[in-house]
Amino acid sequence: MARTNTELYRRFQGELNPRVFRFYPLFASEVRTSLKKKIPMLLLFIPPAIATVVFCFIIHGKYLAEGQSTSIGGLRGVAAIVAQRAMVNVEVKQLIAEFVNGMRLFLFLAVAWYGSGLLAEDRRLGAHLLYFSRPITRVDYFFGKFLTVAFFGFLTLTLPGLVICFLAAWWSPEWSFLREEGDLIWRTIAFSAIWIVFICSLVLAVSSLVPRKTFALIGVFGLLAMSAGMGEVLGELRGELQALSVWRCLRRIRNWIFDYEDWLTISFDVDLAFYVVGGVTAVCVAIIAWRLRRLEVVA
Amino acid sequence: MASPVIQLTQLEKCYGPVRALDKLTMDIEAGPVGLLGPNGAGKTTLIKLLLGLLEPTGGGARIAGFDPTRRADRLAIRRAVGYMPENDCLVPGMTAVELVTTMGRLTGMSYRDGITRAHEVLDYVGLDEARYRVLTEYSTGMKQRLKLAQALVHDPKLLLLDEPTNGLDPKGRRHMLELVYDLGHDQGKSLLLCSHLLPDVERTCENVVVIHRGRTLSAGSIAEMTRSDETWLRVEVADRAEGFAGGLAEAGYTYVKEDASGFRVQLNGADDGDALFAVAARAGASVTSLAPVTSSLEEVFLDALDEAEAAG
C-alpha cells in the first residue's frame, strides 16, 4: 500500500499502574475543563470571596474591640464606646451561621452550573464511550463526577467558612475562639457537607435523566421551586407539611447545627428534616446508580 | 502456533426476544482481522461483549487471555485493548492533548507519561498542529484520527476499531487506512476492524470474519476467499469480437460477453486455455489479454449473505 504518513509509531516504554483512586484523573480533568470558562467563575466565586473578606473584617473588628479599652479606629469618647460595645456584642456563632446561610445560594448556583452538564453532556456527546472503555468502574466514574461538583461546592461554602473560623481563631485573644467556640469549625464542616452531598446528588441525578445541560438546569431549579411551593402552601394547612420544602428542611438543619434562633417559624422537628433530606439524597443516588448502569451498558 | 487473541464459545446475547448473537463460536488469530456484516449483524454487540460492557446471555468469550464476564478481568481487558468507537465521543471543552492525556491516565499512566504519550500518538496520527485546539472545532477526519490516537495512547496489543473511515473524504480515508495498515502490518498490532466498507477491509486486513444475524457465515483469509476460480477466464480480443463469439459457441464453450471486446469463458474439463487462441485464430481475432477470473471480497460477502438468506 502506498504510504504518506511520515510519523513513526513509538512504543510506550513506561508502565501502567492500576491506581487506588482510579477516579482521580477524571476528577482532575473535569475540574480543569470546567475552570476554562472565566465568566461563570467570576460570577460564582467573586461574591463569596467578597463576603468572606467582609465577614473577616467584622470578626477582626470584634476581637480588636475586645482587646482595647477606650478607643477603636481613632474614635474617642461616647462614639468610641458605642462602637466598641457594638463590636464586642457581635456573636461569632451567629455571624458564621448567617454567613453559611447566605453562601448556600452560591453553593447551589455553582453546583447547578458546573454539575448539570456532567452526565447529560457526556451522554449526548458520547464521551461515556471513551470513559467506559478504560479500566474504570461505574463507581469510579460516579466519584470522578461527584467530586468535581463537590469541589465547586467546597469552594463556595466550606472553604470560606473555614477561612473565617481559622482567622477568628488567629485573631481571638489567647485563642479564645478555639477554646470557647472551636466546635463552630466542625459545625461549619457538617453543615456544608450536608448541603454539598444533597445538592450534588440532586444535580447529578437530574443530569443523568435529561439529554442536555440546559434541561438539567431547568429541572433542578424547577424541582426545588416546586418543593418550596408545596411546602409553603401545604404548611399552612398543617405545620409538618412544611417539611415538603427541602429548602426549609435544610434551614431547620442549619438552625439545629448552629443552635441558631431563626426569625422564621419552622413547625417541624429536626429529625423529620433529616429524614426528608436523607430520603431525597438516597433517591437521587439510586437514580444515578441506575442511570450509570444504563450508561455503561448502552455504551 | 500462537493462541488466538479472541475466542468465542457458543456466545449468545439476547435483547428480549431479539437474538443479537446466536451461539457464536470462533477463534480470531493475532494480526489484522476484518469483521464484516450488514447492519444489525451483531458486530457492535460483539465488541461490547468483548469489552465487558454487556453481559452475555450464554456461552463465553476470552479476549487477550481474559474473561470479559469476570469483573476483575474486565479492567485488565480495558488496559490491554484499545477501542475506537464508531460515533462521535468528544469531551466538551477539551483539547486533543488533554483528552488523550486523560485517557492515558485513566488507563494507569502517570501524568508525565500520559502527556508524553499523548504528543507521540497525536504526531503519529497527524494531528500535530491541531493538538491544542478545542475539539468542537475539529473536522470529521480530525475527530476520527483523534479517536484512533486515544485508542493507541497506552500502546495496546489489540485494537478494536469500529468503522474508522466513517464519514471521511477520500483523502482522509486513505490516510486512516494507511495508519490502520501500518498498525496491523508494521507495528505488529492485532486488530479487529469492523466495517461495512469491504474495500477498507480488503486493503488493511489479511483475514476476515463475516457475521450475519449473530452467526458466523464465513471466516478465513481474504486471499483464500477471493482466490481465482480456475475454470473461468477473462479474455480480451482485438478485432472481430463477433467472430470470436461465434467460434466459442461452435467449439461448445459457455461464455458471457462482458463488453465490446471482453468475454468471460468457462473452460471445458482439462482445457488449459490454449484452445482459446486456436478459436481466436480461426475467427481472425487476436487475444490481447487472458487472465483467471477472481472474486472480489464484495462478491464473496454478498454470496455468503445470499446463501444465508436462502437457507433461512
Side-chain angles (χ1 to χ4, degrees):
Chain A
M1 172 181 272
R3 299 165 67 174
T4 54
N5 63 305
T6 52
E7 294 299 339
L8 291 174
Y9 183 78
R10 294 184 178 87
R11 299 260 167 224
F12 174 53
Q13 304 294 337
E15 280 183 19
L16 299 177
N17 296 315
R19 293 170 197 277
V20 180
F21 300 114
R22 286 185 299 246
F23 58 82
Y24 178 73
L26 180 58
F27 160 69
S29 126
E30 290 287 1
V31 168
R32 200 181 308 117
T33 308
S34 302
L35 290 178
K36 280 184 179 175
K37 288 184 180 166
K38 303 287 188 300
I39 291 176
M41 209 165 72
L42 289 176
L43 292 176
L44 293 167
F45 297 122
I46 291 290
I50 292 171
T52 308
V53 171
V54 170
F55 274 76
C56 285
F57 269 115
I58 295 172
I59 286 174
H60 183 57
K62 173 195 164 57
Y63 287 122
L64 200 66
E66 276 184 3
Q68 290 178 338
S69 56
T70 53
S71 68
I72 185 168
L75 296 171
R76 302 273 170 204
V78 178
I81 293 166
V82 170
Q84 190 180 11
R85 287 272 166 83
M87 291 308 284
V88 170
N89 286 339
V90 168
E91 275 197 42
V92 177
K93 187 196 282 183
Q94 203 74 354
L95 207 62
I96 291 178
E98 287 296 344
F99 176 79
V100 293
N101 197 42
M103 288 305 102
R104 291 179 313 165
L105 174 68
F106 291 100
L107 164 80
F108 170 63
L109 292 176
V111 169
W113 176 261
Y114 287 110
S116 52
L118 281 183
L119 299 181
E121 294 293 305
D122 262 15
R123 197 172 62 253
R124 185 173 71 85
L125 297 166
H128 59 290
L129 284 166
L130 295 184
Y131 293 132
F132 285 122
S133 63
R134 299 286 153 184
I136 60 168
T137 61
R138 287 194 293 272
V139 176
D140 298 323
Y141 180 79
F142 168 74
F143 274 116
K145 298 290 181 179
F146 186 87
L147 289 179
T148 304
V149 272
F151 173 73
F152 292 111
F154 174 83
L155 287 187
T156 47
L157 183 62
T158 321
L159 185 64
L162 290 179
V163 165
I164 291 174
C165 287
F166 286 124
L167 287 178
W170 182 257
W171 285 326
S172 62
E174 297 177 355
W175 304 95
S176 60
F177 174 82
L178 282 184
R179 280 187 281 107
E180 293 162 17
E181 293 174 303
D183 57 332
L184 271 177
I185 296 173
W186 305 114
R187 289 173 196 238
T188 305
I189 291 172
F191 176 74
S192 55
I194 290 170
W195 256 88
I196 288 171
V197 169
F198 170 74
I199 293 290
C200 292
S201 307
L202 178 70
V203 168
L204 286 182
V206 175
S207 178
S208 72
L209 290 169
V210 296
R212 280 175 185 277
K213 177 179 180 170
T214 320
F215 298 161
L217 272 172
I218 294 169
V220 170
F221 278 96
L223 275 175
L224 286 178
M226 199 171 72
S227 151
M230 280 170 63
E232 291 300 325
V233 173
L234 297 175
E236 293 293 322
L237 303 174
R238 198 174 154 194
E240 285 84 13
L241 291 177
Q242 278 186 345
L244 287 172
S245 166
V246 192
W247 209 257
R248 193 162 285 210
C249 288
L250 287 161
R251 190 171 183 134
R252 179 72 186 86
I253 291 171
R254 189 274 312 248
N255 296 347
W256 178 76
I257 287 178
F258 287 101
D259 204 8
Y260 183 77
E261 291 295 325
D262 202 343
W263 55 269
L264 190 74
T265 311
I266 298 178
S267 337
F268 56 91
D269 197 55
V270 71
D271 290 348
L272 182 59
F274 272 112
Y275 287 137
V276 171
V277 171
V280 174
T281 307
V283 168
C284 290
V285 171
I287 290 173
I288 296 168
W290 165 58
R291 294 299 292 175
L292 287 190
R293 180 165 170 74
R294 275 191 63 84
L295 200 66
E296 188 183 20
V297 170
V298 172
Chain B
M1 188 173 157
S3 62
V5 287
I6 298 172
Q7 287 177 295
L8 310 178
T9 315
Q10 299 280 305
L11 188 64
E12 198 174 14
K13 178 66 191 174
C14 300
Y15 298 102
V18 180
R19 196 178 288 259
L21 291 182
D22 188 4
K23 294 184 178 160
L24 204 57
T25 299
M26 67 167 104
D27 287 349
I28 295 176
E29 304 294 334
V33 177
L35 182 64
L36 290 174
N39 290 340
K43 303 188 294 289
T44 307
T45 299
L46 177 59
I47 286 189
K48 284 181 187 173
L49 282 165
L50 291 175
L51 282 170
L53 298 175
L54 286 178
E55 296 277 345
T57 311
R62 288 192 81 78
I63 174 169
F66 300 104
D67 179 355
T69 58
R70 292 183 58 212
R71 182 172 278 272
D73 281 9
R74 225 175 271 166
L75 299 187
I77 288 170
R78 295 176 191 177
R79 229 182 322 272
V81 173
Y83 171 51
M84 177 183 175
E86 178 187 0
N87 302 318
D88 269 359
C89 46
L90 302 178
V91 182
M94 277 195 184
T95 65
V97 172
E98 287 168 349
L99 177 80
V100 179
T101 306
T102 302
M103 293 304 142
R105 297 191 70 205
L106 284 171
T107 319
M109 288 180 179
S110 65
Y111 180 76
R112 182 178 291 218
D113 280 348
I115 201 150
T116 307
R117 187 70 191 149
H119 284 287
E120 286 175 1
V121 290
L122 288 169
D123 271 340
Y124 175 68
V125 300
L127 281 177
D128 32 7
E129 288 169 10
R131 67 185 71 178
Y132 288 111
R133 278 164 58 182
V134 284
L135 305 184
T136 41
E137 295 173 7
Y138 272 34
S139 67
T140 308
M142 292 158 88
K143 287 176 190 169
Q144 291 294 87
R145 280 184 278 158
L146 176 59
K147 285 195 284 180
L148 180 62
Q150 65 78 31
L152 287 171
V153 66
H154 55 298
D155 195 19
K157 288 192 173 69
L158 173 61
L159 286 163
L160 303 178
L161 309 178
D162 203 352
E163 308 280 2
T165 55
N166 229 6
L168 296 183
D169 59 23
K171 192 180 167 196
R173 179 168 165 262
R174 184 178 157 189
H175 187 201
M176 178 59 73
L177 291 177
E178 284 166 1
L179 290 170
V180 173
Y181 182 90
D182 182 58
L183 289 166
H185 291 81
D186 300 337
Q187 308 306 332
K189 303 274 180 212
S190 294
L191 55 92
L192 187 63
L193 173 70
C194 291
S195 181
H196 60 268
L197 298 172
L198 297 130
D200 290 1
V201 174
E202 215 163 4
R203 282 173 74 176
T204 52
C205 298
E206 281 154 12
N207 293 295
V208 68
V209 175
V210 181
I211 62 172
H212 179 48
R213 290 181 183 162
R215 292 183 206 164
T216 314
L217 290 190
S218 54
S221 98
I222 293 177
E224 194 70 21
M225 283 182 173
T226 59
R227 101 182 142 181
S228 59
D229 180 349
E230 288 168 4
T231 61
W232 283 85
L233 293 177
R234 181 171 161 75
V235 186
E236 288 271 342
V237 292
D239 310 324
R240 296 186 57 82
E242 292 304 319
F244 180 68
L248 288 173
E250 201 171 294
Y253 284 101
T254 304
Y255 70 94
V256 179
K257 192 162 190 285
E258 291 188 325
D259 51 49
S261 60
F263 297 84
R264 200 194 294 197
V265 184
Q266 186 175 28
L267 299 178
N268 298 324
D271 195 348
D272 60 1
D274 285 350
L276 292 176
F277 287 94
V279 172
R282 278 200 298 276
S286 53
V287 176
T288 56
S289 162
L290 186 71
V293 172
T294 57
S295 309
S296 68
L297 186 59
E298 190 171 347
E299 286 168 326
V300 173
F301 176 69
L302 292 174
D303 286 347
L305 285 189
D306 288 345
E307 279 173 27
E309 295 290 341

